């Protein structure tokens, strides 16, 4: 029934009753979410709960077995990931996936592939549209790096950066796509507590300074509680709780999912 | 000065070689070695685009060379020379002098279309599986041509010398030297411009992390198609030039051994390094020709009986041996994935190659 309604015009991300099966395994079951403008939403759950699968479904890497996804009111069904990105989604990865043989600046530049207004022939002939576009991309990339205080590393390879800065660079690369929705997959994974606090500040700062909605997967409960106004908890693909941090903290289903059931 | 230094050097070099060939001041043998060097440069730089920049493993590059060689040969001979198929040439043989570059480009375009044979499977497979597909493509092309009796089948196809001769009748210039030079420079220049643009760097992104590339708005299928077609198209150009230099083609000369030669050059030069691919092609040509000299020398010194001929036999001992030694001691090749200007930053003051 619900599936036939038009998507709500104010939501940045709307997922209706999405289910994903891999063979006999139900990785995500009946997942629904509605993200408004400038919302910071947390998605948490124990290992293997299906959080990253949700991200892979949103970014078009998998097509859901059932259900529909709308980004800025547009359905993503049948779109390749780069087309989904063009609808206004950008994401980071749980294990950092920067292009390590390319300079930091080039990492940002290549992420503008979808916004290039020239093709192969113009690139080879070095036409005016090519030169203008390259100049604009370079300028914007440098501005963005300066904005995030990464400009001194512009010509470094990402592998030479400290781990925390690589995480930061991946977020900056995602932001360079000018998304309306940013998907952060465990941005604090592998960071020590000092860097993790730094990262929380960064995410908060991005949320305040960019006109953007953020969906955040995180393992650390304290990070999510600190950042998000709304939280959804999934376990074994099922949504087990939803609400503000206070409700989640006291929800018995969440406690048992994270700490185990005491009825043996 | 710095802006035009490369152009000036290239014009001077091209002019010098053409002049020497025109005056017959240098041996015909040396001229043909120089021309094969050009063909090898086109082969290695174009394969480097796929194997080096895109990180795929294509082992059937000679197949595309074969398509280019046959298409431009057959086209040239049908249009500008007496032939067995149509008897009289379709156009006045004197026109060949104007149409020759277009014949070569037509061979390149045909080869680019054949490149789809590899590009489309690459959407779904990569690595070892795609390598097998490229070998299969190489064999499909060779076997198809071997079975086309109208263009000579496995006996080969000839008549290209007549086309070259009719070009020289109109205006006596070493046309082949000129065109090999122009196409070689054109290839390197084209590849340089492609890989240095943000658009072309998408190819490197695919090499390093295809998933990240697709998510970060790179249309990976489109980039793979363009890259495979460009690479095989340039191999086709190399094939066309090769056919007109020798004046004779047969499918057997484009088998997996020829593809291996191109691969050796790419690995020798360093994956993803354009200048490495050029240097390796030059060294490789000198080496294989050097073997011929060693052969002559050994015979001259009476070390070996007259009936033994080493160069062609030993070539396929020495080339694989180079590969083994290379993989043991310098797996990244001569240049690694760096360019000449990265190794010697001082050079940047003297030239700009874009």
């Amino acid at each position: 029934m619900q599936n036939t309604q038009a998507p709500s015009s104010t939501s940045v991300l709307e997922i209706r009753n999405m289910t994903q099966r891999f063979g006999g395994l139900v990785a995500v079951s009946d997942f629904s979410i509605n993200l408004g403008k400038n919302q910071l939403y947390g998605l948490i759950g124990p290992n293997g709960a299906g959080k990253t699968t949700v991200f892979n479904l949103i970014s078009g890497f998998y097509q859901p077995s059932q259900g529909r996804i709308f980004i800025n009111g547009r359905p993503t069904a049948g779109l390749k990931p780069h087309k989904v990105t063009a609808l206004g989604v950008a994401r980071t990865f749980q294990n950092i996936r920067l292009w390590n043989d390319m300079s930091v600046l080039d990492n940002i530049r290549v992420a503008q592939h979808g916004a290039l207004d020239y093709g192969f022939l113009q690139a080879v002939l070095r036409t005016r549209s090519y030169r203008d576009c390259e100049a604009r991309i370079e300028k914007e990339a440098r501005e963005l790096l300066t904005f995030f205080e990464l400009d001194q590393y512009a010509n470094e390879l990402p592998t030479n950066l400290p781990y925390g800065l690589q995480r930061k660079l991946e977020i900056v690369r995602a932001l360079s796509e000018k998304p309306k929705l940013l998907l952060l997959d465990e941005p604090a994974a592998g960071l020590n507590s000092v860097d993790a606090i730094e990262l929380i500040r960064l995410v908060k700062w991005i949320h305040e300074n960019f006109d953007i909605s953020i969906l955040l997967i995180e393992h650390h409960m304290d990070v999510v509680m600190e950042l998000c106004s709304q939280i959804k908890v999934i376990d074994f693909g099922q949504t087990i709780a939803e609400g503000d941090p206070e409700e989640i903290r006291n929800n018995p289903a969440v406690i048992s999912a994270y700490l185990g059931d005491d009825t043996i | 000065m710095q802006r035009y230094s490369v152009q000036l050097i290239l014009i001077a070099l091209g002019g010098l070689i053409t002049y020497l060939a025109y005056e017959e001041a240098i041996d015909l043998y040396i001229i043909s070695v120089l021309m094969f060097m050009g063909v090898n440069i086109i082969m290695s730089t174009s394969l480097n685009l796929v194997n080096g920049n895109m990180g795929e493993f294509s082992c059937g590059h000679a197949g595309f060379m074969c398509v280019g060689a046959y298409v431009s040969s057959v086209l040239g001979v049908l249009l500008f020379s007496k032939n067995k198929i149509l008897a009289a040439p379709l156009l006045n043989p004197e026109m060949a002098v104007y149409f020759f570059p277009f014949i070569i480009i037509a061979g390149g375009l045909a080869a680019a279309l054949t490149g789809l044979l590899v590009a489309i499977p690459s959407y779904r497979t990569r690595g070892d599986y795609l390598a097998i597909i490229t070998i299969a493509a190489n064999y499909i092309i060779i076997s198809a041509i071997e079975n086309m009796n109208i263009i000579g089948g496995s006996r080969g196809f000839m008549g290209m010398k007549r086309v070259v001769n009719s070009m020289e009748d109109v205006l006596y210039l070493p046309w082949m030297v000129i065109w090999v030079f122009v196409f070689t420079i054109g290839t390197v220049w084209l590849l340089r411009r492609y890989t240095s643009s943000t658009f072309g760097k998408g190819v490197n992104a695919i090499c390093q992390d295809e998933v990240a590339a697709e998510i970060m708005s790179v249309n990976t299928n489109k980039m793979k198609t363009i890259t495979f077609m460009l690479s095989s198209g340039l191999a086709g150009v190399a094939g066309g030039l090769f056919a007109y230099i020798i004046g004779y083609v047969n499918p057997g000369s484009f088998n997996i051994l020829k593809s291996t030669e191109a691969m050796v050059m790419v690995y020798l030069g360093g994956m993803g390094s354009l200048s490495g691919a050029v240097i390796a092609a030059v060294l490789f040509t000198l080496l294989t020709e050097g073997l011929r000299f060693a052969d002559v020398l050994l015979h001259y010194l009476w070390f070996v009986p007259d009936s033994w001929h080493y160069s062609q036999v030993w070539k396929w001992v020495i080339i694989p041996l180079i590969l083994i030694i290379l993989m043991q001691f310098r797996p990244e090749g001569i240049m690694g994935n760096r360019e000449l200007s990265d190794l010697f930053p001082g050079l940047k003051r003297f030239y700009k190659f874009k």
Side-chain angles (χ1 to χ4, degrees):
Chain A
M1 275 309 158
Q2 263 179 310
N3 272 336
T4 51
Q5 284 169 11
S8 126
S9 58
T10 53
S11 66
V12 174
L13 169 71
E14 191 177 345
I15 299 179
R16 291 186 196 151
N17 312 100
M18 177 174 75
T19 298
Q20 174 69 1
R21 293 186 201 89
F22 296 115
L25 178 83
V26 182
V28 177
S29 154
D30 203 24
F31 184 92
S32 298
I33 200 170
N34 199 334
L35 230 77
K37 283 203 172 75
N38 298 327
Q39 215 175 349
L40 214 168
Y41 207 114
L43 183 62
I44 62 173
N47 279 328
K51 305 179 296 280
T52 300
T53 307
V54 170
F55 270 26
N56 285 341
L57 284 160
I58 296 172
S59 50
F61 205 65
Y62 303 137
Q63 294 293 330
S65 316
Q66 271 163 28
R68 304 181 73 183
I69 305 170
F70 297 93
I71 288 160
N72 290 318
R74 310 260 293 274
T76 68
L79 293 184
K80 297 253 309 157
H82 71 269
K83 293 273 184 203
V84 177
T85 305
L87 293 179
V89 197
R91 68 171 285 188
T92 64
F93 298 89
Q94 195 171 350
N95 40 351
I96 303 175
R97 300 189 96 151
L98 292 163
W99 298 302
N100 282 323
D101 288 344
M102 260 190 253
S103 70
V104 166
L105 183 67
D106 278 350
N107 264 273
I108 308 287
R109 281 208 288 214
V110 172
Q112 312 309 308
H113 228 262
L116 293 179
D117 24 289
Y118 69 88
F120 172 73
L121 272 184
Q122 286 93 325
V124 170
L125 298 173
R126 300 272 143 122
T127 57
R128 172 167 287 278
S129 68
Y130 166 84
R131 292 195 303 269
D132 292 348
C133 185
E134 289 280 318
R136 174 175 60 79
I137 285 171
E138 162 123 26
K139 183 165 156 281
E140 285 177 2
R142 286 197 186 274
E143 277 170 6
L144 199 66
L145 287 176
T146 313
F147 199 55
F148 284 91
E149 294 168 348
L150 287 168
D151 46 328
Q152 71 231 29
Y153 305 109
N155 295 320
E156 290 281 342
L157 294 181
T159 34
N160 298 342
L161 264 53
Y163 195 76
L165 287 184
Q166 292 187 30
R167 285 262 173 224
K168 186 174 173 181
L169 175 60
E170 209 191 15
I171 296 175
V172 175
R173 183 179 70 171
L175 280 176
S176 74
E177 309 258 1
K178 303 193 184 78
K180 288 281 165 236
L181 169 67
L182 180 63
L183 308 175
L184 298 176
D185 196 346
E186 298 208 24
L191 296 182
N192 61 35
S193 50
V194 180
D195 285 348
I197 290 167
E198 189 72 20
L199 194 115
I200 293 173
R201 282 210 199 101
L202 177 71
V203 174
K204 235 178 193 164
W205 187 77
I206 289 170
H207 183 233
E208 282 157 10
N209 286 279
F210 287 75
D211 179 25
I212 201 168
S213 305
I214 299 176
L215 181 59
L216 175 82
I217 290 182
E218 195 39 80
H219 231 66
H220 300 89
M221 283 291 245
D222 42 342
V223 175
V224 187
M225 296 294 172
E226 168 96 31
L227 280 172
C228 305
S229 55
Q230 280 285 310
I231 296 171
K232 189 188 268 292
V233 190
I234 58 176
D235 190 17
F236 294 112
Q238 307 278 346
T239 305
I240 57 171
E242 199 173 353
D244 60 40
E246 204 50 44
E247 289 172 71
I248 297 295
R249 213 187 297 271
N250 301 320
N251 188 313
V254 178
I255 294 169
S256 77
Y258 263 84
L259 300 176
D261 221 326
D262 54 359
T263 56
I264 301 167
Chain B
M1 184 60 202
Q2 170 233 24
R3 265 192 84 173
Y4 298 107
S5 62
V6 173
Q7 283 90 328
L8 288 174
I9 289 171
L10 287 177
I11 290 169
L13 186 69
L16 181 72
I17 296 173
T18 312
Y19 176 74
L20 290 176
Y22 178 74
E23 292 287 329
E24 290 171 11
I26 45 175
D27 202 35
L28 210 60
Y29 169 70
I30 294 177
I31 291 174
S32 67
V33 170
L34 286 176
M35 288 196 284
F36 285 130
M37 208 177 260
V39 171
N40 279 344
I41 289 174
I42 300 177
M43 283 300 278
S44 70
T45 50
S46 60
L47 184 64
N48 180 45
L49 180 66
V50 167
N51 283 29
N53 292 72
M54 198 155 67
E56 299 287 5
F57 193 68
S58 168
C59 338
H61 211 48
F64 307 116
M65 193 184 181
C66 185
V67 173
Y70 265 87
V71 169
S72 26
S73 301
V74 171
L75 201 62
V77 170
L78 285 185
L79 290 176
F80 303 113
S81 150
K82 288 192 303 244
N83 55 72
K84 283 182 192 141
I85 306 165
L86 295 175
L90 286 171
L91 296 173
N92 186 345
E94 286 174 5
M95 303 284 279
V97 77
Y98 307 108
F99 280 99
F100 183 74
F102 299 105
I103 290 172
I104 297 292
I105 290 170
L109 290 176
L113 284 179
T114 329
L116 287 173
L117 210 62
V118 176
I120 290 167
S122 80
Y123 296 169
R124 292 177 158 273
T125 20
R126 58 180 296 141
D128 307 352
Y129 306 102
L130 192 68
I132 292 167
I133 291 172
T134 58
I135 296 176
N138 195 338
Y139 276 103
I140 290 172
I141 292 163
I142 292 180
S143 307
I145 290 174
E146 275 175 350
N147 286 299
M148 288 181 198
N149 274 322
I150 191 159
I151 51 170
S154 55
R155 279 165 291 128
F157 186 79
M158 56 170 84
M160 286 79 86
K161 271 280 185 284
R162 285 199 292 275
V163 178
V164 178
N165 287 342
S166 60
M167 283 161 71
E168 285 173 354
D169 287 345
V170 176
L171 178 62
Y172 184 75
L173 275 177
W175 285 109
M176 284 316 296
V177 174
I178 295 172
W179 284 120
V180 169
F181 190 79
V182 168
F183 276 109
T184 306
I185 302 300
T187 299
V188 177
W189 173 82
L190 192 77
L191 288 169
R192 169 75 189 159
R193 286 193 158 189
Y194 180 51
T195 52
S196 67
S197 68
T198 299
F199 183 69
K201 277 178 188 155
V203 174
N204 284 46
I206 292 174
C207 170
Q208 290 161 44
D209 193 327
E210 191 173 337
V211 172
E214 177 71 37
I215 297 275
M216 289 296 147
S217 78
V218 178
N219 187 345
T220 49
N221 285 357
K222 184 177 152 200
M223 292 308 292
K224 283 179 187 171
T225 313
I226 291 176
T227 306
F228 272 115
M229 286 182 79
L230 178 62
S231 167
S232 42
L234 291 173
V237 167
L241 294 169
F242 179 80
Y244 279 90
I245 294 170
I246 297 190
Y248 164 77
V249 279
N250 78 328
S253 46
F254 302 104
N255 60 10
I256 193 89
L257 286 181
K258 191 79 188 169
S259 303
T260 313
E261 274 183 32
M263 271 158 59
V264 172
M265 287 188 272
V266 171
Y267 289 96
L268 185 65
M271 304 281 274
S273 167
L274 189 59
S275 35
V278 174
I279 293 170
V282 172
L283 287 179
F284 184 84
T285 318
L286 293 177
L287 179 85
T288 46
E289 294 306 322
L291 281 176
R292 242 185 263 273
F293 271 114
D295 194 50
V296 172
L297 193 71
L298 286 175
H299 280 101
Y300 182 73
L301 295 175
W302 289 63
F303 278 163
V304 288
D306 279 349
S307 56
W308 290 16
H309 283 286
Y310 281 100
S311 65
Q312 287 311 303
V313 181
W314 284 88
K315 187 178 169 187
W316 287 109
V317 174
I318 289 179
I319 290 170
L321 199 62
I322 294 174
L323 263 189
I324 295 174
I325 295 170
L326 198 67
M327 291 300 134
Q328 275 291 313
F329 297 105
R330 201 174 162 82
E332 74 273 25
I334 296 172
M335 303 288 286
N337 64 355
R338 292 159 302 183
E339 297 296 339
L340 212 52
S341 55
D342 302 331
L343 276 187
F344 306 105
L347 278 178
K348 276 185 191 157
R349 270 185 290 137
F350 301 109
Y351 78 90
K352 198 172 152 186
F353 185 59
K354 282 249 166 91

